[in-house]
Amino acid sequence: MSTTTTPAPTEKLTAKDFTSDQEVRWCPGCGDYSILKQVQTVMPDLGIARENIAFVAGIGCSSRFPYYMDTYGVHSIHGRATAVASGLKATRPELSVWIVTGDGDGLSIGGNHTIHLLRRNLDVNVLLFNNEIYGLTKGQYSPASPLGKVSKSTPYGSVDNPFNPLALALGAGGTFIARSMDRDPIHLRTILKRAHEHKGTSFVEIYQNCNVFNDGAFEVFTEKASKKAETLFMEHGKPLIFGANAEKGIKLDGFKPVIVNVADVSANDLWIHDERDEMKATLLTRFFDDPKKADHMPRPFGIFLIQDKPVYEEGMSAQIADVIKARGEGDLDTLLRGRETWTIN
Amino acid sequence: MTTATQEIKRQTENKELKNVVILFAGDSGDGIQLTGTQFTNTSALLGNDISTFPNFPAEIRAPQGTLAGVSGFQLHFGSVNIYTAGDASDVLVVMNAAALKANIKSLKPGGIVIANTEGFGTKNLDLAKYPKGVNPLKDGSLDKFKVYEVDITKLTRACLEGSGMGVKDIDRSKNMFVLGFLLWMYNRSMEPTISFLKEQFKKKPELIETNTKVLKAGYNYGETTETFTTRYEVKAAPMPKGIYRSIMGNQATAIGLITAAKKSGLTLFYGSYPITPASDVLHELAKHKNFGVKTFQAEDEIAAICSAIGASFGGSLAITGSSGPGIALKGEAIGLAVMLEIPLVILNVQRGGPSTGLPTKTEQADLLQALYGRNGECPVIVVAASSPSDCFTMAFEACRLSLEHMIPVMLLTDGYIANGSEPWRFPNAKDMPEIKVNFATKKNGTIQNGDVTEERYLPYKRDEKLSRPWAIPGTKGLEHRIGGIEKENDTGNISYEPENHEFMVKLRQEKVDRAANNIPDQKLDNGKEKGKILVLGWGSTYGSIKTAVKDCIALGIEVSHAHVKYMSPLPKNLGNILKNFDKVLMPEMNNGQFSKVIRDKFLIPTINFNKIKGVPFSAGEIKAKIEELNK
Ligand code: SF4
C-alpha cells in the first residue's frame, strides 16, 4: 500500500547523523556497543529520513538503545516496548519502527506482547539482544539461561528450562525469523538490512555477550577457534555446510536432519536452505542443542524463515477505507442525533 | 384473537399519573432488556422524561429459572422531571417465580404484579427455592399488591399457532406480548416498536410479521379482557425545548471521544481489553470506523494502555478504557505517560471491587485509585461524569484537558450511568468548541556545547500552563528521545540529581494544579448559596441527590446540592462554597473516598453517608439522611 512507504531523506546521511549527543553508558566491553555501531552504520543505507525512524525500548541494558540513536525514540517500561510500538505503528504506518529488547524484557515480563506482536504481524523490526542473563538488575538468570544456570538468584543452579526464542517466535506466527551475533559485524549488518526490507514483523535474535555477568555465554559460537565447527551460517539456495574446513553438511533423512561428511555425499543430497520453507525452518529452529552434548547439531545463524502474511496496520487502514467507501465519511451531526429523536416545543 | 373479540370495546377508566416506575424481570433469555428499551423509546417519543437502569445477572447464561439468572430493567418515566430510575416500582412484570422472588421487595405497597403463570409451575417454584408446595401467587403473600396472572406463554403460542415456527422460537417472542400489553395499559402507540421490528429484522421478514402479531395480541389482550379496568396516562414532561434522543452512558462516552477527535482534527485511537462494564465503549467505537476511528483490542490491559501511549507519541488522540481491575494493571504505564507528559485519556467505568468484586454492579470506589493509585508521586487530572448524557460532556472535557495540558486524564464513570439511559438534548456539531492542537514544528531553544551554542528542540521546555510541546515523529529536525526515567527539565536528558528530582516532582504536580485555570467554577445545582446543609456529591449519585434535595427544599429544609465533576484539580471556588454551610453531607457508593479528599484539602468535618451494595442510592435514602441532619 502506497501510504506505508517511508519518505526518503533529502540529504545523504552517515552513521554519525544517527549518533545522539548522549554518552553511551554500557559497561566497557559489552556486546551492545557493537550492535549499536552496526545499527548506526546500516541506517544511512536504508534510505529513510531520520525523522521517520523511531526506536522503542523497554527496560534493561539493551533498552537504553534509543537514547543513543539520533532519531525519534521512546524508552518505555519493562517488557512493553512491543506494545508501545504497536500503537505507534498502527497509527503511523509510514514510520520505520525498531524495537530493542532483551531476553528478560521480551521473553519474560513482556513475553505476552512479543507473541501477540508476531501474531498480528505489524511491519516493525524486533532486535532481541539475548545475553541469557539479567544485566541491569545485576545478574539473575533469565528465561533464556540454560537449565542449571548458576546466578545470583540461583546459587545452586536454575531448575527451569529455557525458552528456545526462535521456536517461540515461529510458533507465534512470526514472518521473519533470524539469528545473528554481536561479534560478527558483517553478518549482523546483512541481517539488519534484510529485516528492514521484510514487510511484517522481523524478529532478529542477536547473541550478545554480557561480559560482566555472563561472560562467554556464546563464545563457542563467536570465537575463532570453535566458531566454524559450532555454527551453521545459512544462505538461501545454498547447501547447509559447516565445520572448520566446511567439511560437514546437513542432510535430511526423512524428517530427521543428520550430519554428514560433505565428501561422502553428492552435493544434491545436502539440505539446500530455503528461507520460505516453514516446515524446514521449524526443524532449523530446533537445532538448539547444548554445544557440550555429544553429537549435537551446530547452531544456525542467518534467516530461518520469511513469509508473506497480511500486515496488521494495513488491514486496519484498509478496513477504515472500506467502511468510509460503503457508508461515507462520518458526519458528526448524524452521530450526535442517533437513530431516533423527538422534539419538544 | 378473532376479529369478533377485537370488536368488543369496553369502558375503561383513564387515570392520569405523574410518574411511574416499571420493573421488567425474567430470565436473561426472556428479552427483558429489549422490552424495557422499546417501552423506554416509545415513552421518550411521547415526551416523557425518563431514567432507566438495567440490572444484569453476573453469569452470562445462568441456569434458566434460577435466582442467579434473573435479569431486570427498571424504567422510570414521568410528566415531571426524572433524575433516577426510581426507588421502588409501581409495576413489576415477572416472567417466572425467580424474577418475582428477587424483586418483590422493591414493589410499592398497592403496586401491580403482572405474572406469567407459566413461569410458576412446580419446576420454576423449585428453581426459585420456594418451599415445597408454596406458590406465592396462591398463598396470599401478595395480598397487599394487585396481582394479575396472565398465561403469557400460552397466549403467545396460541397467537402463533400455525405460523410454522417451532415452540422454542415462538416462546422467544413472548416479550412482545408483555410489551404490547403494557403499551395498552399506559396508552402508548405500538408504531415505534413496529418500525423498530421492521429495521431489526430487515433480513428476516417472517420475524417482523410474527413479532408484530404477538405485540398486537398483547395490546388487544388488555383491550378485551375484563380484568383490566384501568388504563393510565402519563403526559409529556416540561423539558427544555429542543430535539432529544435517548442515550446510554457508554454510548455517550464513545460519542464524546469521537467528537473530541473531530474537533481536534486528530485520529482517535482506542486501545482496550474487554472488561465489564466498559466493553460497550469498545463496541460502540468499533462501529464508527467511518470516522477513521482505530480500535485496537489488545492482548491485555497493559498492552491496551501501552499501545495508546505509542499512538499518542505518534500524534493521535489516544484513549484506553477499562474498569477497576484493568486500571490496576495499567498503573505502571499511567506513570510512564505522566513522565512522558503526553496526552492520554484513561477511562474507568467503575464496578464493585476489590479484585473481581461485583463485575456487573456499580460502585464509586476507584476514586482514590484514580487520584493516588500508582507508584511515586504521579498526579493526573481526574474528571467524573454524573449521568448517562454527562458521559458525553466529560469524555469531551477529558480529551480537551489532556490535549491542552499534555497530561494524562482519568475519566471516571460507573456501571450505573454506563448502562443507564436518559433523554439527551444533544448538541449540534458546530456548537461544540474546537480543541486547539499545535504540533511543534521548530526548534525551541539552545544548548551550550563547549563554546558553541546550538539550536535544539527541547522536549520539556514549557509554556505558562507548564505544558510541554508535542513534536511527533516525521517532523524534521525535532528528533528526540523521551522515557520513564527521571529527567532534566527543558532538555529531557536523564538526570538522577536529588535537587532535580524534587523539582520535577513538584513541577508535575503544579502542572496538574494549574489546569484549575482551565475548568469551570463549581456551581450549586440546587438551593441557596448559604445555609444549613450542603449535599456534596460526585459521579452517578447525581440523580438521587438531585431528587432528594428537591424534595427536601419543597419541605422547607435549608439544603443545597453541589455536584463535583472535576475531581483533580478541584474547582478553585469549591472551598468558598463549602464555607457557607454548617454541615456538608457526602453520599458516596464507597467507604468515604471523596470525603477523605475534601477533609484533606479543606480541613472540614464532612459527614459521610455510604452505600456499598452494588446498587445506587435511592432518593429516599438520601432524603431521610438530610431530614435526620436537619433535626
Ligand atoms: S551488565 Fe552486561 S549487558 Fe549490561 S551493559 Fe554491562 S556488560 Fe552490557
Side-chain angles (χ1 to χ4, degrees):
Chain A
M1 216 164 74
S2 59
T3 52
T4 58
T5 38
T6 309
T10 43
E11 71 263 274
K12 177 94 190 93
L13 299 169
T14 65
K16 207 165 161 285
D17 292 310
F18 287 92
T19 311
S20 80
D21 61 355
Q22 297 297 297
E23 191 190 326
V24 183
R25 298 207 186 159
W26 290 308
C27 308
C30 173
D32 290 354
Y33 283 95
S34 163
I35 306 173
L36 175 63
K37 176 126 197 295
Q38 306 327 318
V39 172
Q40 286 170 339
T41 308
V42 161
M43 281 291 142
D45 299 343
L46 304 183
I48 317 168
R50 261 187 334 160
E51 64 269 22
N52 291 315
I53 300 172
F55 276 80
V56 183
I59 296 292
C61 290
S62 60
S63 294
R64 292 298 177 90
F65 206 94
Y67 286 118
Y68 308 139
M69 295 296 301
D70 200 359
T71 62
Y72 281 90
V74 183
H75 179 221
S76 73
I77 43 176
H78 206 12
R80 319 302 169 201
T82 30
V84 172
S86 298
L88 177 60
K89 185 69 183 180
T91 49
R92 299 290 305 276
E94 77 282 13
L95 298 176
S96 172
V97 177
W98 297 73
I99 295 159
V100 180
T101 182
D103 44 319
D105 191 68
L107 297 177
S108 197
I109 193 166
N112 195 28
H113 312 311
T114 301
I115 55 176
H116 286 277
L117 172 71
L118 290 160
R119 171 177 75 79
R120 292 192 184 101
N121 197 34
L122 285 118
D123 185 14
V124 297
N125 309 298
V126 182
L127 310 182
L128 185 130
F129 295 19
N130 184 1
N131 56 16
E132 295 189 350
I133 201 82
Y134 283 93
L136 192 71
T137 50
K138 300 198 165 61
Q140 301 80 8
Y141 82 113
S142 92
S145 304
L147 182 68
K149 177 76 187 169
V150 173
S151 75
K152 276 208 182 129
S153 57
T154 50
Y156 303 106
S158 62
V159 293
D160 41 352
N161 287 304
F163 268 132
N164 173 338
L166 295 188
L168 178 77
L170 195 80
T175 57
F176 180 100
I177 311 282
R179 182 185 287 133
S180 188
M181 59 171 83
D182 53 0
R183 300 293 296 272
D184 194 335
I186 298 175
H187 185 260
L188 180 53
R189 292 202 295 265
T190 314
I191 298 294
L192 290 173
K193 276 192 209 162
R194 294 285 308 275
H196 164 71
E197 284 159 15
H198 171 64
K199 186 159 189 167
T201 304
S202 303
F203 189 82
V204 183
E205 180 190 26
I206 305 169
Y207 282 173
Q208 172 247 324
N209 191 36
C210 169
N211 57 310
V212 173
F213 295 108
N214 204 16
D215 197 21
F218 303 110
E219 66 186 351
V220 292
F221 308 125
T222 59
E223 296 316 297
K224 228 179 171 173
S226 52
K227 183 174 176 183
K228 284 193 170 163
E230 292 297 342
T231 61
L232 174 66
F233 280 82
M234 306 172 292
E235 280 183 71
H236 183 63
K238 302 236 172 94
L240 296 181
I241 292 177
F242 68 106
N245 303 303
E247 75 283 10
K248 288 185 191 153
I250 312 281
K251 202 185 106 169
L252 266 180
D253 185 5
F255 287 112
K256 197 176 155 47
V258 288
I259 298 175
V260 293
N261 284 321
V262 174
D264 301 344
V265 291
S266 88
N268 290 341
D269 286 344
L270 289 172
W271 174 339
I272 308 294
H273 184 51
D274 180 357
E275 295 170 340
R276 297 201 161 257
D277 189 325
E278 192 179 3
M279 288 302 162
K280 285 186 174 167
T282 307
L283 289 177
L284 285 167
T285 58
R286 297 292 166 185
F287 286 25
F288 196 60
D289 299 329
D290 181 345
K292 289 199 265 313
K293 208 179 105 189
D295 297 332
H296 63 273
M297 285 296 186
R299 191 68 59 94
F301 289 80
I303 297 166
F304 291 69
L305 179 70
I306 302 183
Q307 280 179 308
D308 298 319
K309 277 193 197 166
V311 168
Y312 183 89
E313 65 274 19
E314 287 191 0
M316 190 181 222
S317 304
Q319 192 175 58
I320 289 173
D322 285 351
V323 177
I324 291 177
K325 213 165 143 202
R327 287 169 50 190
E329 186 101 36
D331 172 60
L332 198 50
D333 275 313
T334 312
L335 178 71
L336 289 164
R337 287 182 74 90
R339 265 215 327 226
E340 258 176 314
T341 62
W342 66 94
T343 306
I344 289 180
N345 296 312
Chain B
M1 297 282 143
T2 64
T3 354
T5 52
Q6 273 174 21
E7 274 161 15
I8 306 166
K9 292 268 173 204
R10 291 178 299 111
Q11 277 300 309
T12 46
E13 182 200 359
N14 243 340
K15 212 167 150 185
E16 200 184 318
L17 297 174
K18 272 205 208 130
N19 61 322
V20 176
V21 178
I22 304 180
L23 175 57
F24 300 90
D27 253 337
S28 39
D30 281 338
I32 294 299
Q33 303 301 328
L34 182 85
T35 314
T37 312
Q38 275 315 307
F39 195 94
T40 304
N41 291 347
T42 308
S43 305
L45 289 172
L46 215 82
N48 293 139
D49 198 359
I50 284 171
S51 174
T52 72
F53 180 46
N55 198 350
F56 305 108
E59 286 78 18
I60 299 299
R61 280 279 173 264
Q64 271 194 355
T66 60
L67 288 162
V70 176
S71 159
F73 188 99
Q74 187 168 326
L75 159 67
H76 188 186
F77 62 107
S79 59
V80 290
N81 291 123
I82 302 288
Y83 304 105
T84 74
D87 292 3
S89 39
D90 300 289
V91 181
L92 175 62
V93 183
V94 291
M95 301 305 281
N96 60 33
L100 179 83
K101 196 173 192 191
N103 293 296
I104 190 69
K105 59 183 181 303
S106 79
L107 188 64
K108 287 180 194 162
I112 298 172
V113 178
I114 298 168
N116 177 21
T117 45
E118 207 262 346
F120 286 79
T122 325
K123 192 176 156 215
N124 278 99
L125 290 166
D126 271 0
L127 285 169
K129 302 229 155 59
Y130 279 104
K132 277 258 167 308
V134 173
N135 182 346
L137 298 180
K138 309 284 178 219
D139 70 352
S141 61
L142 302 178
D143 280 356
K144 59 177 168 174
F145 307 111
K146 263 182 265 160
V147 182
Y148 296 112
E149 295 176 33
V150 185
D151 197 338
I152 298 168
T153 310
K154 196 170 127 198
L155 289 162
T156 306
R157 284 180 192 166
C159 169
L160 291 183
E161 207 187 313
S163 65
M165 281 168 79
V167 175
K168 238 182 158 172
D169 287 333
I170 290 178
D171 282 358
R172 271 211 246 145
S173 40
K174 64 180 183 286
N175 62 332
M176 283 297 128
F177 191 94
V178 175
L179 180 60
F181 174 69
L182 281 159
L183 290 174
W184 172 82
M185 194 160 154
Y186 287 95
N187 272 305
R188 254 122 249 254
S189 151
M190 288 184 281
E191 271 321 303
T193 303
I194 295 172
S195 64
F196 165 82
L197 291 170
K198 282 183 183 153
E199 176 71 30
Q200 188 74 2
F201 298 119
K202 237 189 305 196
K203 295 198 180 104
K204 293 182 187 158
E206 67 281 5
L207 289 182
I208 302 175
E209 203 188 309
T210 52
N211 276 295
T212 309
K213 205 169 164 201
V214 178
L215 180 78
K216 287 186 177 162
Y219 195 93
N220 292 338
Y221 180 78
E223 190 88 22
T224 52
T225 313
E226 302 207 345
T227 349
F228 304 101
T229 51
T230 318
R231 290 177 84 179
Y232 303 95
E233 189 147 15
V234 180
K235 295 222 165 90
M239 314 246 283
K241 279 184 193 168
I243 309 176
Y244 286 77
R245 64 172 287 184
S246 171
I247 191 103
M248 282 171 61
N250 273 342
Q251 199 184 16
T253 301
I255 297 175
L257 298 175
I258 295 175
T259 306
K262 272 268 178 191
K263 289 291 173 173
S264 59
L266 301 179
T267 298
L268 182 65
F269 178 89
Y270 189 74
S272 192
Y273 184 76
I275 185 168
T276 303
S279 303
D280 277 342
V281 177
L282 172 63
H283 306 161
E284 183 70 23
L285 287 171
K287 277 191 226 160
H288 300 297
K289 297 250 168 210
N290 57 333
F291 284 85
V293 176
K294 294 194 167 175
T295 52
F296 182 74
Q297 183 174 319
E299 58 273 22
D300 60 26
E301 295 285 357
I302 299 173
I305 183 169
C306 287
S307 63
I309 289 172
S312 173
F313 181 70
S316 289
L317 172 56
I319 321 289
T320 186
S322 188
S323 186
I327 302 296
L329 286 167
K330 292 178 199 291
E332 186 193 12
I334 297 173
L336 174 64
V338 165
M339 288 298 256
L340 298 180
E341 301 190 34
I342 51 168
L344 176 72
V345 173
I346 306 128
L347 164 69
N348 181 355
V349 186
Q350 300 166 93
R351 67 188 217 188
S355 184
T356 308
L358 305 170
T360 59
K361 308 289 172 201
T362 196
E363 204 161 278
Q364 297 183 297
D366 298 344
L367 176 64
L368 294 182
Q369 180 195 44
L371 293 170
Y372 309 118
R374 293 165 291 281
N375 65 306
E377 298 287 348
C378 192
V380 298
I381 294 177
V382 181
V383 299
S386 57
S387 73
S389 67
D390 194 41
C391 291
F392 170 85
T393 311
M394 295 322 283
F396 186 87
E397 276 294 90
C399 297
R400 178 184 72 84
L401 290 168
S402 190
L403 291 168
E404 288 179 358
H405 294 264
M406 296 286 284
I407 302 183
V409 177
M410 182 89 73
L411 165 62
L412 297 176
T413 71
D414 66 38
Y416 177 42
I417 52 179
N419 289 319
S421 71
E422 65 180 352
W424 179 38
R425 195 159 58 124
F426 54 91
N428 288 318
K430 67 171 183 350
D431 298 331
M432 293 301 296
E434 301 293 325
I435 301 174
K436 271 217 182 75
V437 174
N438 297 316
F439 291 127
T441 52
K442 286 194 194 77
K443 294 188 174 148
N444 60 350
T446 53
I447 60 150
Q448 204 60 34
N449 198 352
D451 296 342
V452 231
T453 312
E454 280 176 36
E455 255 201 285
R456 270 299 161 91
Y457 169 64
L458 303 175
Y460 286 82
K461 193 170 164 169
R462 297 163 194 283
D463 63 12
E464 71 291 342
K465 299 194 297 279
L466 298 181
S467 148
R468 72 176 194 86
W470 194 7
I472 61 169
T475 317
K476 194 172 156 63
L478 305 194
E479 295 83 6
H480 65 282
R481 277 69 53 194
I482 53 178
I485 302 186
E486 187 57 283
K487 51 191 53 63
E488 186 180 79
N489 206 21
D490 289 353
T491 63
N493 290 340
I494 292 178
S495 165
Y496 297 119
E497 293 299 317
E499 300 299 322
N500 178 70
H501 178 52
E502 186 168 305
F503 172 78
M504 291 300 284
V505 164
K506 299 216 155 156
L507 190 141
R508 285 187 287 264
Q509 181 63 54
E510 171 74 15
K511 190 178 159 189
V512 169
D513 295 344
R514 282 197 196 179
N517 297 325
N518 198 7
I519 62 172
D521 269 352
Q522 182 63 45
K523 288 198 182 70
L524 283 178
D525 188 77
N526 202 352
K528 301 214 176 79
E529 272 172 37
K530 248 182 165 55
K532 211 161 154 187
I533 304 167
L534 174 72
V535 186
L536 184 65
W538 70 279
S540 74
T541 51
Y542 177 75
S544 316
I545 300 179
K546 170 109 188 158
T547 311
V549 169
K550 200 174 65 129
D551 292 354
C552 288
I553 290 175
L555 294 174
I557 299 176
E558 229 183 274
V559 59
S560 302
H561 173 200
H563 216 77
V564 180
K565 305 211 289 181
Y566 298 84
M567 312 301 292
S568 182
L570 289 164
K572 288 193 285 189
N573 65 329
L574 183 62
N576 288 336
I577 292 181
L578 299 177
K579 269 193 236 152
N580 289 333
F581 294 89
D582 302 340
K583 295 177 183 173
V584 177
L585 172 67
M586 299 191 65
E588 291 184 79
M589 294 189 288
N590 60 38
N591 216 5
Q593 300 196 358
F594 191 38
S595 176
K596 266 198 183 74
V597 174
I598 295 293
R599 289 174 188 177
D600 171 35
K601 301 247 174 212
F602 302 106
L603 301 171
I604 60 163
T606 53
I607 300 160
N608 288 3
F609 183 46
N610 308 109
K611 180 172 184 179
I612 321 166
K613 300 183 176 177
V615 286
F617 277 107
S618 71
E621 286 165 333
I622 295 174
K623 186 173 162 223
K625 185 74 191 172
I626 297 170
E627 285 176 318
E628 180 196 315
L629 283 183
N630 189 47
K631 276 190 195 132

